Amino acid sequence: MARKYFGTDGIRGRTNAGAMTPEMAMKVGQAAGAHFLRGAHKHRVVIGKDTRLSGYMIENALVAGFTSVGMDVVQFGPIPTPAVALLTRSMRADLGVMISASHNPYEDNGIKLFGPDGFKLSDTDEIAIEALLDKPAKLANAPDVGRARRIEDSRGRYIHAVKASVPEHIRFDGLHVVLDCAHGAAYQVAPTAIWELGAQVTPIGVSPNGKNINDKVGSTYVTTLQETLVSAGADIGIALDGDADRLIVVDEKGRVVDGDQIMALLGTAMSRAGKLTGDGIVATVMSNLGLERYLESQHLKLVRAKVGDRYVLEEMRNHGINVGGEQSGHMILLDHATTGDGTIAALQVLAQLVESGKPASEVLHLFDPVPQLLKNVRFSGGKPLDNPAVQAVIAQAEAELAGKGRLVIRPSGTEPVIRVMAEGDDAAQVEKLVDAICDAVKVAAA
């Protein structure tokens, strides 16, 4: 069933346009609240947000929606997405909400929902909530309207939990870490957690003003991190995104390390320690063929999922695997979290650095990626991928890459673009095929 509001990661859009208005946020609160009213107990929802200016508006509208249908609300203030997931479960809430548009600019915002188990909602739950959005809300009787309150110790609870993911015998003393928090949700918790474990921390992207989240900082813009790391002579750099559910690493030479290398490191390290379940890891169709070949050399399998950390998690649970993620830096470590957690993943990388005694450039380069090229084609409407001419070009490209590479073409779940990715041992061939497909899509979208 096609979904009207929910994308691959909740509801997202430009503030005060489309689906991201206070009116819609209130309706989401009413619909999600009604869907999770189960039993006679007093129901509770917890709400966190990142540092976007519009977070105040969306939060207050959600509070109005939830309390109007009889749910009590606990507000955390700025806190990472994985912290909301963790606290939803630990506080026995019926529902968790994160207000964030992740790596998008501040003008955008979004609403992510977590069930009482701390996991993102299933397609079934999201479809059920969507069905309620266009119906009149069933409001609570006056005596049953919910209450709202803020708590101040949510960040402390989360810091304690992420530090507990590191074995007690490991300390980060002697490590110099440059940490980019993207002026986002982790600007307080991530530097504190890493510093309390002994590292020297040089923080950047820790001065949010409501409009600078992800602005020339964070996991999608690592130049600032690279420059700071090299000038400081630090051992490693870590960049989180706006809601801190993913990370990108930079080694001591200033070279970028993506999620594929991080998954290779953590997966094989856990395998050696006898802690990896399912004999492999889960990644998406976008992960590099080099990762798959490396895992095979380690007698481990790679299970591929659709793009989106929720689909990675779905395959992890289906296959009994406890390590998964995305090339873009989402890392899901089910022994410690129910969703992608950039801070926990960062701590595990730092722990491997300490245990190996080697520089980051060695620890985090386990395989040479196969030449891979991704290009985006923006379109204004219609379905360019259904065009016969586009399909013919794609079929030709698949035939050329057969046995030598991979081709992935998909519409984005968060913006009106077609993503065209190809990889193979011949870089020139890969570029030629991607350009041919992009040209065909542009013609069809014109």
Side-chain angles (χ1 to χ4, degrees):
M1 178 179 176
R3 294 188 287 184
K4 183 177 178 182
Y5 301 110
F6 284 90
T8 55
D9 199 14
I11 301 172
R12 187 179 298 182
R14 188 175 177 87
T15 300
N16 278 343
M20 203 43 54
T21 63
E23 179 184 22
M24 174 57 74
M26 186 174 73
K27 287 182 178 179
V28 170
Q30 291 173 330
H35 181 65
F36 279 90
L37 286 174
R38 299 164 182 175
H41 68 282
K42 189 63 176 177
H43 291 72
R44 170 191 286 181
V45 57
V46 296
I47 300 178
K49 62 180 179 179
D50 65 21
T51 56
R52 293 164 208 272
L53 180 63
S54 59
Y56 296 98
M57 177 184 77
I58 300 298
E59 180 182 30
N60 286 327
L62 282 167
V63 169
F66 283 118
T67 54
S68 72
V69 296
M71 270 196 158
D72 286 344
V73 179
V74 177
Q75 297 163 267
F76 296 146
I79 198 167
T81 289
V84 172
L86 182 150
L87 293 170
T88 299
R89 184 167 60 174
S90 69
M91 294 180 67
R92 295 183 66 183
D94 299 279
L95 184 65
V97 182
M98 179 65 183
I99 305 165
S100 174
S102 188
H103 59 280
N104 287 25
Y106 87 91
E107 294 93 343
D108 294 346
N109 217 329
I111 299 171
K112 304 179 186 182
L113 302 175
F114 294 89
D117 56 1
F119 288 97
K120 289 183 179 178
L121 298 191
S122 66
D123 287 345
T124 301
D125 280 325
E126 287 188 347
I127 290 169
I129 291 169
E130 278 208 345
L132 295 173
L133 284 174
D134 294 325
K135 297 179 181 179
K138 184 179 180 181
L139 302 179
N141 294 324
D144 300 321
V145 168
R147 298 175 182 269
R149 63 186 176 95
R150 293 186 179 274
I151 64 171
E152 301 301 326
D153 67 340
S154 57
R155 288 186 288 274
R157 294 188 190 200
Y158 177 66
I159 290 169
H160 176 77
V162 298
K163 286 169 58 182
S165 72
V166 178
E168 288 187 5
H169 69 279
I170 292 180
R171 293 278 301 175
F172 300 157
D173 303 288
L175 277 184
H176 184 182
V177 181
V178 178
L179 178 63
D180 182 351
C181 296
H183 298 306
Y187 78 100
Q188 293 174 314
V189 295
T192 300
I194 294 174
W195 180 82
E196 288 185 355
L197 285 167
Q200 175 187 347
V201 180
T202 298
I204 59 177
V206 291
S207 302
N209 63 16
K211 297 182 179 181
N212 61 357
I213 189 170
N214 302 313
D215 184 11
K216 295 183 173 58
V217 285
S219 62
T220 55
Y221 186 95
V222 296
T223 303
T224 304
L225 174 62
Q226 290 170 305
E227 292 172 349
T228 306
L229 179 143
V230 172
S231 64
D235 298 301
I236 191 170
I238 296 165
L240 304 173
D241 67 340
D243 67 335
D245 64 350
R246 66 177 177 176
L247 82 164
I248 292 293
V249 173
V250 173
D251 69 23
E252 83 283 0
K253 298 179 180 179
R255 296 185 302 194
V256 174
V257 179
D258 67 11
D260 286 349
Q261 295 282 0
I262 298 170
M263 283 187 282
L265 171 67
L266 299 184
T268 53
M270 289 182 64
S271 178
R272 289 192 300 271
K275 296 180 179 179
L276 184 69
T277 61
D279 297 321
I281 69 172
V282 177
T284 75
V285 293
M286 303 302 287
S287 278
N288 195 273
L289 185 59
L291 171 61
E292 188 169 352
R293 292 173 176 174
Y294 172 73
L295 291 174
E296 288 175 354
S297 75
Q298 303 298 307
H299 308 292
L300 298 172
K301 65 186 178 185
L302 176 65
V303 177
R304 291 192 183 269
K306 293 189 294 183
V307 171
D309 62 330
R310 59 180 297 174
Y311 300 115
V312 171
L313 178 59
E314 185 177 287
E315 291 299 327
M316 291 173 69
R317 299 176 83 178
N318 288 341
H319 292 268
I321 293 174
N322 59 347
V323 175
E326 296 189 279
Q327 188 183 61
S328 60
H330 283 112
M331 294 292 123
I332 304 176
L333 305 173
L334 278 181
D335 290 353
H336 307 296
T338 56
T339 190
D341 192 319
T343 306
I344 283 181
L347 297 185
Q348 308 315 304
V349 169
L350 294 177
Q352 290 303 312
L353 217 57
V354 169
E355 291 207 304
S356 71
K358 298 177 181 178
S361 56
E362 291 185 34
V363 174
L364 284 156
H365 186 84
L366 297 179
F367 65 89
D368 292 324
V370 169
Q372 184 185 81
L373 181 62
L374 169 66
K375 290 189 176 182
N376 297 324
V377 182
R378 189 165 292 275
F379 65 100
S380 57
K383 297 182 177 180
L385 295 182
D386 291 344
N387 185 284
V390 173
Q391 293 175 347
V393 174
I394 292 172
Q396 176 62 33
E398 288 176 334
E400 288 191 40
L401 283 174
K404 299 180 293 183
R406 295 191 312 122
L407 185 67
V408 179
I409 299 106
R410 66 179 187 89
S412 167
T414 58
E415 53 185 329
V417 299
I418 302 295
R419 305 199 193 281
V420 180
M421 188 277 281
E423 61 181 355
D425 295 316
D426 185 339
Q429 180 190 40
V430 166
E431 184 173 11
K432 181 194 74 172
L433 296 177
V434 168
D435 285 344
I437 295 169
C438 288
D439 289 343
V441 171
K442 288 174 185 175
V443 171

